[in-house]
Amino acid sequence: MVAAVRTEFDFAAYLSAARQSVELALDESLGIEQPNSLSEAMRYSLLAGGKRLRPILCLAACQLAGGTITAAMPTAVAIEMIHTMSLIHDDLPAMDNDDLRRGRPTNHKVYGEATAILAGDALLTRAFELVALRSPEVPAECLLKVIGELSLASGAQGLVGGQIVDLESEGKEVDLNTLEYIHLHKTGALLSASVIAGGLIGGANDELLKALSTYARGIGLAFQIIDDILDVTASSDILGKTAGKDLIADKTTYPKLLGLEASRERADQLVTQAKQGLAPWEDRATPLLALADYITGRDR
Amino acid sequence: MVAAVRTEFDFAAYLSAARQSVELALDESLGIEQPNSLSEAMRYSLLAGGKRLRPILCLAACQLAGGTITAAMPTAVAIEMIHTMSLIHDDLPAMDNDDLRRGRPTNHKVYGEATAILAGDALLTRAFELVALRSPEVPAECLLKVIGELSLASGAQGLVGGQIVDLESEGKEVDLNTLEYIHLHKTGALLSASVIAGGLIGGANDELLKALSTYARGIGLAFQIIDDILDVTASSDILGKTAGKDLIADKTTYPKLLGLEASRERADQLVTQAKQGLAPWEDRATPLLALADYITGRDR
């Protein structure tokens, strides 16, 4: 009977339901912001759709560890807020100077640079408020660890550090080590933190936290390799952001360093390794295993 | 004997010692940042001197409540990081477009806009890391409350919200209510949070927290009124930032709305009220009372 349930796991339905619950929670998370212009700018980017991969990873890791969706949701929302902040700031003229994001004008194109910078700041602070004050079910010691994970993943030792090295590497020859440094920090750190935070809230023991960490590192790098591949192979229309941008900016990417075929093989290999670590948890790991496949199979 | 000790309180020595311990802690708080360019930009603004009023208020409130300097120091440092982040972002060309801060070129003038934005982001996330992971002496429940206070004070309901309304008010007629909204949010919120966080860490009861809150609100507004007055009366040389900027930007200020004399009276009145609330704590409140006088007496 267990085997039957396992083969019947409907990932599309799972993903759709998880996304819907995340969208609802995101919408509710920004009710009382003032003033209006700031609130609008925050909502514009936070509710602009997207895969919601990080919050869903957080919820799935929490469930694998034995926790509930409800307990992890404020943290899942906080993580998407941090991710959104990083997108708003990365898109600014002083950084990547991007006009399109998720098929719509970027935040600063609509609200101006000042409001875009401040909306990012407000989302970042709001994220910590959510974890600290809106997670009544979770023990305080656990929430402090979660806040620690999120702050480390977001700052100099995480995505901000990755973004700086990325900006400094534009137009330069970059080796594979530096490329992986950029990706492990810029994308990998927050993806990892999503999984670890979910595990912590679910009450994961050290063994599971270690397996989740290996899993997260693997899918984090694979995710970025696929992003690089899609930048070469997909159109702006499908991506919802400016395609070919890495080439134009003369950024080093996996396809450029390894070639398209070898890049895809590396992504597949990373995902296989990521999944192996979760094997001991069998059926309970099904959503996380399917999410890993989804990451390498996606076309945007 | 108690009376003798009281009259002997040497505020200059107290302030100097408090500042020195804060400077040391700030310096130590940024040891391992990578990459170097980011680390330099963070250190440049965080260690640029300044009054260190917020961390000192935090330490003084903690001591009044019966806690130690050591327990409150990570939070005091975190607050100065948040304050520094707000200065770096406020100075950006898209916002106040300021070239001078504390007598030196602003962060983006030295490191460029992209690094300045990211250095601010990294200081903000680092602040939460400090409170969450580097305050081993303080109970977890208390730290969560502190994180909640700091996030509320920094975001849409605090300094970011104040900054947005401030930017939107440039060149417009603004009434006293709006001016106070701006100041209570842009400056008052984090000053209040400094005092409340210190009180929480020191174990303040509800009665003391309420008195600290009244105190903080009063000195927060008074602080900003004095800032407005100094913008009119002091030179750039003394201020270490561009003087007369509010007039050039056609900003509404207290002197503009009330006149210089009435503005100073209002500041004095606010400080008197702020101090009255702490009267029941007698000698233990001496540093906070002296800090309130210092705020209205300062010339920069």
Side-chain angles (χ1 to χ4, degrees), chain A residues 230-241:
Chain A
L230 290 173
D231 188 73
V232 180
T233 60
S235 72
S236 300
D237 196 37
I238 290 177
L239 285 180
K241 60 184 176 185

Side-chain angles (χ1 to χ4, degrees), chain A:
Chain A
M1 200 49 202
V2 169
V5 170
R6 188 178 187 177
T7 52
E8 275 167 28
F9 177 72
D10 183 344
F11 181 64
Y14 170 85
L15 199 61
S16 165
R19 250 181 215 154
Q20 255 181 306
S21 63
V22 168
E23 290 296 339
L24 196 68
L26 287 170
D27 189 47
E28 285 173 352
S29 72
L30 284 183
I32 51 165
E33 251 60 36
Q34 286 292 335
N36 278 339
S37 56
L38 179 65
S39 170
E40 273 177 39
M42 292 167 78
R43 294 183 73 86
Y44 177 81
S45 290
L46 188 66
L47 306 180
K51 293 178 287 294
R52 311 308 192 190
L53 198 56
R54 292 160 190 79
I56 293 171
L57 283 169
C58 176
L59 300 176
C62 178
Q63 285 191 298
L64 164 52
T68 66
I69 294 276
T70 316
M73 191 59 91
T75 296
V77 166
I79 290 166
E80 191 68 7
M81 285 181 174
I82 294 173
H83 175 56
T84 303
M85 174 283 294
S86 79
L87 299 181
I88 295 174
H89 283 187
D90 281 7
D91 286 338
L92 287 166
M95 306 237 222
D96 293 353
N97 193 20
D98 237 318
D99 295 345
L100 265 182
R101 167 73 65 185
R102 291 175 179 163
R104 305 197 303 167
T106 43
N107 197 291
H108 66 272
K109 282 277 156 189
V110 181
Y111 299 98
E113 277 184 62
T115 301
I117 295 167
L118 291 168
D121 294 348
L123 284 168
L124 184 53
T125 54
R126 188 61 181 264
F128 291 105
E129 182 204 332
L130 273 176
V131 181
L133 302 182
R134 318 273 188 102
S135 305
E137 291 180 32
V138 188
E141 286 81 6
C142 175
L143 290 177
L144 281 186
K145 283 185 196 166
V146 168
I147 290 167
E149 285 289 330
L150 297 191
S151 53
L152 284 169
S154 317
Q157 291 160 70
L159 60 86
V160 167
Q163 173 72 352
I164 285 272
V165 177
D166 193 16
L167 287 170
E168 288 175 352
S169 302
E170 264 182 45
K172 282 186 199 162
E173 287 289 322
V174 162
D175 60 16
L176 194 61
N177 277 345
T178 308
L179 188 65
E180 294 215 341
Y181 180 95
I182 293 170
H183 292 331
L184 280 174
H185 288 75
K186 194 175 163 179
T187 318
L190 193 59
L191 278 169
S192 282
S194 307
V195 176
I196 299 297
L200 285 168
I201 293 170
N205 60 19
D206 288 346
E207 189 195 354
L208 177 52
L209 283 176
K210 204 179 153 198
L212 287 173
S213 175
T214 308
Y215 167 86
R217 192 181 187 281
I219 62 160
L221 257 185
F223 180 87
Q224 192 58 50
I225 295 173
I226 300 293
D227 238 29
D228 281 3
I229 293 172
L230 290 173
D231 188 73
V232 180
T233 60
S235 72
S236 300
D237 196 37
I238 290 177
L239 285 180
K241 60 184 176 185
T242 317
K245 211 169 171 294
D246 297 344
L247 277 176
I248 296 162
D250 198 20
K251 280 195 179 178
T252 305
T253 62
Y254 281 93
K256 204 169 144 186
L257 276 183
L258 304 177
L260 266 179
E261 196 52 39
S263 297
R264 184 161 284 285
E265 271 166 27
R266 189 165 167 81
D268 288 341
Q269 190 186 37
L270 282 163
V271 167
T272 304
Q273 284 167 1
K275 288 162 69 179
Q276 275 164 359
L278 292 181
W281 282 271
E282 298 178 348
D283 288 1
R284 280 164 60 197
T286 304
L288 283 180
L289 299 181
L291 282 162
D293 289 329
Y294 168 68
I295 283 172
T296 35
R298 72 200 164 94
D299 65 356
R300 64 187 71 194

Side-chain angles (χ1 to χ4, degrees), chain B:
Chain B
M1 200 49 201
V2 170
V5 170
R6 187 178 188 179
T7 52
E8 277 169 26
F9 177 73
D10 183 344
F11 180 65
Y14 170 85
L15 198 61
S16 164
R19 251 182 213 151
Q20 254 181 306
S21 63
V22 168
E23 290 296 339
L24 195 69
L26 287 170
D27 188 47
E28 285 174 352
S29 72
L30 284 183
I32 51 165
E33 251 61 35
Q34 286 292 335
N36 277 340
S37 55
L38 179 65
S39 171
E40 272 177 41
M42 292 167 78
R43 294 183 73 87
Y44 177 81
S45 290
L46 188 66
L47 306 180
K51 292 177 288 292
R52 309 309 192 190
L53 197 56
R54 290 160 191 79
I56 293 171
L57 283 169
C58 176
L59 300 176
C62 178
Q63 285 191 296
L64 164 52
T68 65
I69 294 276
T70 316
M73 191 59 91
T75 295
V77 166
I79 289 165
E80 192 69 7
M81 285 180 175
I82 294 173
H83 174 56
T84 304
M85 175 282 294
S86 78
L87 299 181
I88 295 174
H89 284 189
D90 281 6
D91 286 338
L92 288 166
M95 307 239 224
D96 293 354
N97 193 21
D98 238 317
D99 295 347
L100 265 182
R101 167 73 66 185
R102 289 173 180 164
R104 304 197 303 169
T106 44
N107 198 291
H108 65 272
K109 281 276 157 191
V110 180
Y111 298 98
E113 277 184 61
T115 301
I117 295 167
L118 291 168
D121 294 348
L123 284 168
L124 184 55
T125 54
R126 188 61 181 264
F128 290 105
E129 182 204 332
L130 274 176
V131 182
L133 302 183
R134 318 271 188 102
S135 305
E137 290 181 33
V138 187
E141 286 81 6
C142 176
L143 291 177
L144 282 186
K145 282 184 195 167
V146 168
I147 290 166
E149 285 289 329
L150 297 190
S151 54
L152 284 168
S154 317
Q157 291 160 71
L159 59 86
V160 167
Q163 172 72 352
I164 284 271
V165 177
D166 193 15
L167 288 170
E168 288 176 352
S169 302
E170 266 182 43
K172 282 187 201 161
E173 287 288 321
V174 162
D175 60 15
L176 194 61
N177 277 344
T178 308
L179 188 65
E180 293 214 341
Y181 179 96
I182 293 170
H183 293 331
L184 279 174
H185 288 75
K186 194 174 162 177
T187 318
L190 193 59
L191 278 169
S192 282
S194 308
V195 176
I196 299 296
L200 284 168
I201 293 170
N205 60 18
D206 287 347
E207 189 195 354
L208 177 52
L209 283 176
K210 206 180 152 196
L212 287 173
S213 175
T214 307
Y215 166 87
R217 191 179 189 281
I219 61 160
L221 257 185
F223 180 87
Q224 191 58 50
I225 296 173
I226 300 294
D227 239 30
D228 281 3
I229 292 172
L230 290 173
D231 188 74
V232 179
T233 58
S235 72
S236 299
D237 197 38
I238 289 177
L239 285 180
K241 60 184 174 185
T242 317
K245 208 167 172 297
D246 297 343
L247 278 176
I248 296 162
D250 199 18
K251 281 195 179 180
T252 305
T253 62
Y254 281 93
K256 205 169 142 187
L257 276 184
L258 305 178
L260 266 179
E261 196 52 39
S263 297
R264 183 160 285 285
E265 271 166 27
R266 189 166 166 80
D268 287 341
Q269 190 187 34
L270 282 163
V271 168
T272 305
Q273 285 167 2
K275 289 163 67 179
Q276 274 164 358
L278 292 181
W281 283 270
E282 299 178 344
D283 288 3
R284 279 164 59 197
T286 304
L288 283 180
L289 299 181
L291 282 162
D293 288 331
Y294 167 69
I295 282 171
T296 36
R298 72 201 165 95
D299 64 356
R300 67 186 69 192

